[in-house]
Amino acid sequence: MLQVLNNWFIRSNKSERLWLLAKIEFKLRYYENKLGLFWALLKPIVDVTIYYIVFKTILSSDVPAFASYIFIGLILWNFFVESTSGTVQILNTKKYLYEYSNMNKLEIYISTLLSNSIGFFFNLLMFIIFYNLIEPASNGMNLNSIWIIVLFLNLFILSLGVSLILSCLYIIAKDVTQIWQVFTTFLFFLSPIFYKHSLFKEALPAFEFGNPIAGIIINARRVLMQGVNPNYELLWFDILYALILFFIGLILLNKLGSKAAEKL
Amino acid sequence: MENTTTVDRAVAIKARNICKTFQISEDSHNTVKHRLFNLFNPPKTKYVPALKTMSMEIMQGECIGLLGRNGSGKSTLVKLLAGVYSTDSGYINVTGSTMLMNLGVGMSHELTARENVYVSGSVLGLKIKEIDAIFDEIIEFAELEGFVDTKIKFFSSGMVARLGFSIAVKAGADIMFLDEIFAVGDAKFQEKAIKVFESSWIKGRTVILVSHSMDVIRQYCSRAAFMKQGELVYFGDTEVAISKYIEDNQ
């Protein structure tokens, strides 16, 4: 089975093509504006500064290592939003890829998310440098931090699933863009991005199991900042969420996505 | 088809009982708001039967001509076979990569000529190294030497069409659908395009050619299909198909 999969991947040019499309997408995003790649680095810093001022200085939050706390929460959240809100119209903007050939549409999604992943890893690298070298209240990282790879894969599949669902719904309902915007704002405030995990748990008990993003952020902080194992129960829940949404997304892509060329 | 020359060849496209009906709603019911407000007032939908049920089999290496008047469903059939549209019934089995060429080719106007060559080449199934090898040929054939790193949104429509045609000629998919492509470029470029067809390019490739030019069809196609009002009236000998088409035009 593995052999077959391996052969298929090396002999066909699929992996090359995904990487090529991802690189071009990344270049389009960051090299087109004046600030260039610098913007990719600047944005999370600006975001963290704003939230830091509001919550630490004004509301005097008592979370230890607060800047790192928001930092990791925000970069995970930003990846999710970029990969979902940013791809609602993907079947429209990337029409040129499937309108003239029988290319698999799923590749278009994966390459766009790969391009977002490049941005994410830049940010993650910045976080690691910040947390280990600058953050005064840092505990340092340890081997448990490697769990972030699993958590990121989880986030990737989750975002891919949501992206598939939204962009396919876009074919029959154009205002899914606006609806999703409202929903993400809602989700943003219902995820423990800038407030304390214990406060979140008290106010909304068990909601960390209801919101897949919350679980990923909580676990990312456990493995990167506290140096402990992820909460396995939460991890399984989130992986299950991601797989279910991805599965629904694939069904929608087959049912609705196949009509994209004629409807959009 | 009882064509003796095709017996030993493999099937490139097998279509069984395919048909296509387009739904056109009169007002745009494509938002959630609209759908909710008009829950009890469903939109009037017009059904346009673009393609009536048909079956066909195309062998590898064949050049098939598609004939028919405007609106007879030629382009719809080509898009169905190329896998761009989904069929309403039946199935289509395609062996290999497909490429559809009509006035525009799959290129993004946000990308440069170089990037478009690489993206299209890759979509057509080539590896990066293989594209590297033919890159200069593509640019030379398209006569775009000075514009390699210019975004194609700044190109004239002729330049875009030439680039698309060059990619198709040099990179080429296993199965090519050519929808009225001889209208590309100036007289000099057209001459070049026709030369490509006269060379061995067409050999070993499966080509489905849509054209209103009887000469082109007669010259290159081993078989031809004649379509009328979404129906496949005849599929077989080129001369018979052409005479049916001329009859229909009278």
Side-chain angles (χ1 to χ4, degrees), chain B residues 57-71:
Chain B
E57 220 167 78
I58 294 168
M59 306 295 161
Q60 263 168 28
E62 265 193 309
C63 181
I64 303 286
L66 261 185
L67 289 160
R69 292 177 56 190
N70 286 338

Side-chain angles (χ1 to χ4, degrees), chain A residues 10 13 27 32 100 174, chain B residues 30 100 115 126-127 151:
Chain A
I10 290 173
N13 63 346
K27 199 199 119 203
E32 292 293 286
Y100 297 94
K174 298 284 179 295
Chain B
N30 49 11
L100 171 63
E115 286 161 345
L126 294 182
K127 298 204 166 207
K151 285 191 179 198

